Amino acid sequence: MQKLLASVLLLLSISLTTQAQQPEKLNASEIHQSVKKLNFLGSVLYLAAHPDDENTRLISYMANHVKARTAYLSLTRGDGGQNLIGPEIRELLGVIRTQELLAARRTDGGEQRFTRANDFGYSKHPDETLEIWNKDEVLNDVVLAIRQFKPDIIINRFDHRSPGTTHGHHTSSAMLSVEAFDLANDKNAYPDQVKQYGTWQPQREFFNTSWWFYGSQEKFDEADKTNLLSFDIGVYYPTLGLSNNEIAALASSQHLCQGFGRLSQRGSQTEYIELIKGDLPKDKNNIFDGINTTWTRVKGGKKIEAILKTIENNFNFENPSAHLSQLLEARQLIANIDNPQWKTQKIKEINRIIEACAGLYLEASASAPTASTGQTIDVTIEALNRSNANITLDSYSILNNKINTTKYGKPLNYNNKQQIKEQLTISTKLQPTAPYWLNKKGSLGMYTVDDKNLIGKPETPRAITVDFNLNINGFAFTLKKDLIYRYSKPDKGELYRPFEIIPEASAKIDQKVIIFENDQQKEIPVTVKAGKDNLEGFVTLAYPNGWSVYPEKQNISIANKGQEQTLVFTVIPPKNQNEGLLSPIVTIGNKTYTRELVEIDYEHIPFQTVLLPSESKIVRLDIQKRGNNIAYIEGAGDVVPESLKQIGYNVMVLKPEDITAERLSAFDAVVVGIRAYNIVETLKFKQDLLFDFVKNGGNMIVQYNTNRRLKTDQIAPYDLKLSRDRVTDENAEVKLLAPKHEILNFPNTITTKDFEGWTQERGLYFPNQWAPQFTPILSMHDKNETAKTGSLLVAKHGKGHYIYTGLSFFREFPAGVSGAYRLFANMLSIGKNNINNDNGLKH
């Protein structure tokens, strides 16, 4: 599943925007900034619901201007969003968005945390959200984050006092934060946490407000601002050559799969926060006013502060190594303080500074990017001292399930690279590399995490690391590095990717939903990938009752690791409509493997391997269709073309620039992909051609678009106004408003049963106003709401039909929802029964 971005955001060549997979290399200005941050003992936790909810301007301001330790707690990993850069949705999209958040934090200087909440899709009210999420477990995780991070200040992105006015996840994040503010200091709340992390009371909690929450700039200008603090977050950092809002724009632009690539901003910009808990600072320009943020905050800190202030005020930009002795002295003092919170954090910070000041380059690189357990790989350990400090590599320790230490005892002389060759056999006790929250099946609203020590972590800790046990000017000093894979490509140069442990065998069926439109058998390819050399075994398929598979099993023999072997099984469906799961099982010796290895490769995030259950939904569908040739105009990305091919249509992806009357004449219908009118500029110049195609007898189906940032005001041949109306309950009752309409009767009879088993939602961004030429077909609504009748609108236009639908076919097709396929086949077939009247009614 390798995919490269068609265009990559060009970032400035500083460490704030370094390539996602390269090791950190601080320059003198960045070291100096880190020393300043080392001298600040205050922390801020920013809290919201999803990736891209965070205010990168404020996070960057707190991290880089205030110098506070700053983290973003995103309750979810954004699994329920859309993907503008590739086909990954749900769990795989969550993996991408997790890494985009980490890339954003590498840019703006913050840290990243999560809860176990699963982004199940849009929610209209926190009551629904907290019922699906399991409120107590998510609240547990928010309290845990506070007790672990120990923030002095919490800032919520959303308002806890306005349930039902915005996304339910948004309001829920603020409500949980407000509740956790006090619970974190209650020893009776989640007592198992207290044993390990103690209690903690933040000093202040704020809501990151703006004119938007007041309805207009005028209302905000008139509002009482007694409890508001404001900051000019457009400050300029001369040592970085960037302003704060430029850094924030670069951080926000890491959210590429959500279409957040944006222009940088410069100049003054005011940010507001409203106090909702704790005491209001007397100095409204200082969020930490009244909170001790100096080293005197901890016992024995005064001496540490004196040393670090001397370094900060007299920093040698030409030779940062001149400060090593002072830094090492400060480090020893920090190691002896009795405050576990600041001791752990500041040791981590000063280690990074000492490493950079000494010009140390330490690396452990594997000879291959992956290996399976039991396999032996070559490891190159590199150590280089680019300072005049007396540094000795006493030993190095490789963590490979257990720690193996090798004595070395050689000095690292100035700029004299030391290379050590090792052979490493991957411990059979290690688990394959995979996102820990996907290791076990979760629920609609929650991920299952058995290892409680992993809860909140952004990613799975690397299984194999190398400790470099150093002596610097007489001080013992250890630096830890993950095992990586370093390589080059002629057209890319030097590249890095994480070293991954993979299973010795994995299997996949490319099609995740296989539709049998009749009772004819299909040949289903199963691809087995070897994680080691000389893989020998066999493959069988698990399948539902009523189906048949031939042959029962097939042998595999793969000579080289990384190679694949494809086996073809014949799958015979039952006579009547039926569905179930088809799962390959690979047997190697006495072990079986049932998971698929998914690789995610984008340039703006580190390479990812994900292990998911290898299974495909097989559906024997009772379906009829008319028309054969379909043109598909792509939008924000979906699998609708592939899904239509599954039920026998000839589908051609048609680029907007290739749309001509002659090209269109070859098709029975044109389908426009999701959000195409939001992102495809060229389409606005092709509307007349498309409408003429309909007028001449073709069918045109337009799938949902958002009501903002439309590229054209005329998405239909008649007046049609999009709204934010949506039905988020996938089980909401559906009423047939036009039961005799052809679209519900030909060639398939559609009933309410066809709306059973839908996933995530019914649909979104329905029109709420339309011309009289349109016929509304369906009515549906969420609990306690009025009926929404714009989910499926049909208009006769000339000899053909124009159809607008906000129904979420792009989610239902990948889930193999039978009724969605049947209804879409009717939409494509409309007008092809030759017995229609002008109103589209079947006689």
Side-chain angles (χ1 to χ4, degrees), residues 51 95 199 309 470 503 510 516 530 751 817 827:
V95 173
T199 58
K309 277 294 182 184
L470 305 158
D510 283 334
F516 291 76
T751 69
V817 178
M827 291 158 60

Side-chain angles (χ1 to χ4, degrees), residues 513-760:
V513 174
I514 305 171
I515 303 295
F516 291 76
E517 57 178 313
N518 50 44
D519 62 0
Q520 298 301 302
Q521 65 188 37
K522 287 191 176 185
E523 306 298 305
I524 306 299
V526 176
T527 302
V528 179
K529 187 171 185 177
K532 68 172 188 177
D533 293 339
N534 302 315
L535 188 75
E536 302 282 344
F538 63 89
V539 180
T540 57
L541 291 181
Y543 51 92
N545 290 333
W547 296 69
S548 301
V549 170
Y550 178 83
E552 183 178 335
K553 71 175 184 178
Q554 296 191 57
N555 292 330
I556 52 169
S557 179
I558 306 176
N560 299 312
K561 170 188 167 184
Q563 287 185 330
E564 296 178 339
Q565 182 177 347
T566 299
L567 310 169
V568 177
F569 288 84
T570 299
V571 177
I572 305 168
K575 295 290 183 183
N576 300 317
Q577 187 157 314
N578 190 289
E579 62 184 51
L581 294 177
L582 188 69
S583 304
I585 303 169
V586 183
T587 301
I588 309 296
N590 59 359
K591 294 181 180 179
T592 58
Y593 298 90
T594 59
R595 293 199 284 178
E596 174 184 354
L597 182 69
V598 181
E599 296 179 340
I600 301 175
D601 189 7
Y602 292 103
E603 288 189 355
H604 67 302
I605 60 174
F607 190 96
Q608 300 291 300
T609 58
V610 185
L611 285 169
L612 295 176
S614 183
E615 56 188 27
S616 294
K617 186 173 182 179
I618 47 177
V619 180
R620 164 65 173 97
L621 192 57
D622 180 12
I623 189 170
Q624 301 293 321
K625 61 184 181 62
R626 298 293 186 273
N628 292 309
N629 300 316
I630 310 299
Y632 197 85
I633 301 170
E634 292 181 317
D638 54 53
V639 295
V640 173
E642 295 86 344
S643 301
L644 296 180
K645 289 177 183 178
Q646 288 251 27
I647 56 174
Y649 282 105
N650 299 320
V651 183
M652 175 184 289
V653 174
L654 187 62
K655 294 181 179 179
E657 56 268 28
D658 295 334
I659 295 175
T660 64
E662 184 179 359
R663 290 294 299 275
L664 290 174
S665 66
F667 300 105
D668 297 297
V670 172
V671 181
V672 182
I674 61 172
R675 293 172 65 181
Y677 288 106
N678 294 127
I679 65 172
V680 183
E681 187 81 27
T682 319
L683 263 182
K684 66 183 179 183
F685 305 116
K686 301 293 183 176
Q687 289 297 84
D688 288 342
L689 288 171
L690 291 168
F691 296 156
D692 284 345
F693 165 75
V694 178
K695 191 181 294 184
N696 292 328
N699 291 333
M700 182 177 177
I701 299 172
V702 177
Q703 298 178 87
Y704 100 91
N705 291 267
T706 66
N707 63 340
R708 293 188 299 168
R709 302 188 183 94
L710 285 166
K711 301 296 183 183
T712 177
D713 295 329
Q714 192 71 23
I715 63 173
Y718 308 112
D719 288 341
L720 184 72
K721 185 175 181 180
L722 304 184
S723 73
R724 296 182 64 83
D725 286 351
R726 62 202 300 161
V727 176
T728 61
D729 182 359
E730 63 268 36
N731 299 310
E733 181 185 3
V734 176
K735 293 182 179 179
L736 308 182
L737 295 177
K740 294 183 179 180
H741 197 285
E742 178 188 357
I743 207 166
L744 295 179
N745 292 278
F746 178 82
N748 305 288
T749 301
I750 303 299
T751 69
T752 55
K753 187 175 178 61
D754 287 291
F755 293 93
E756 294 177 2
W758 283 50
T759 182
Q760 188 159 327

Side-chain angles (χ1 to χ4, degrees), residues 390-462:
N390 294 318
I391 303 178
T392 301
L393 178 58
D394 288 338
S395 63
Y396 53 91
S397 305
I398 301 178
L399 176 62
N400 177 30
N401 184 52
K402 62 180 181 179
I403 297 175
N404 298 309
T405 300
T406 302
K407 290 183 178 180
Y408 191 67
K410 293 183 181 179
L412 300 180
N413 296 324
Y414 172 73
N415 219 24
N416 184 11
K417 181 172 66 176
Q418 299 286 315
Q419 269 198 345
I420 306 163
K421 300 290 186 179
E422 284 279 2
Q423 282 199 322
L424 179 67
T425 301
I426 309 300
S427 170
T428 56
K429 295 183 178 180
L430 293 178
Q431 296 298 313
T433 307
Y436 68 85
W437 61 95
L438 298 179
N439 283 339
K440 203 168 184 179
K441 188 174 179 62
S443 65
L444 174 64
M446 296 295 297
Y447 283 119
T448 299
V449 181
D450 288 337
D451 185 348
K452 303 305 180 188
N453 292 317
L454 292 174
I455 293 174
K457 292 183 182 296
E459 54 187 344
T460 308
R462 294 289 157 179

Side-chain angles (χ1 to χ4, degrees), residues 5 185 324 398 422 432 464 489 568 641 708 759 786 809 836:
L5 292 173
N185 199 36
L324 278 172
I398 301 178
E422 284 279 2
I464 301 179
K489 287 185 176 181
V568 177
R708 293 188 299 168
T759 182
T786 58
F809 290 102
N836 294 347

Side-chain angles (χ1 to χ4, degrees), residues 92-106:
L92 295 179
L93 178 59
V95 173
I96 293 173
R97 298 191 74 183
T98 294
Q99 291 300 321
E100 288 183 338
L101 271 177
L102 289 170
R105 298 294 79 77
R106 285 191 293 270

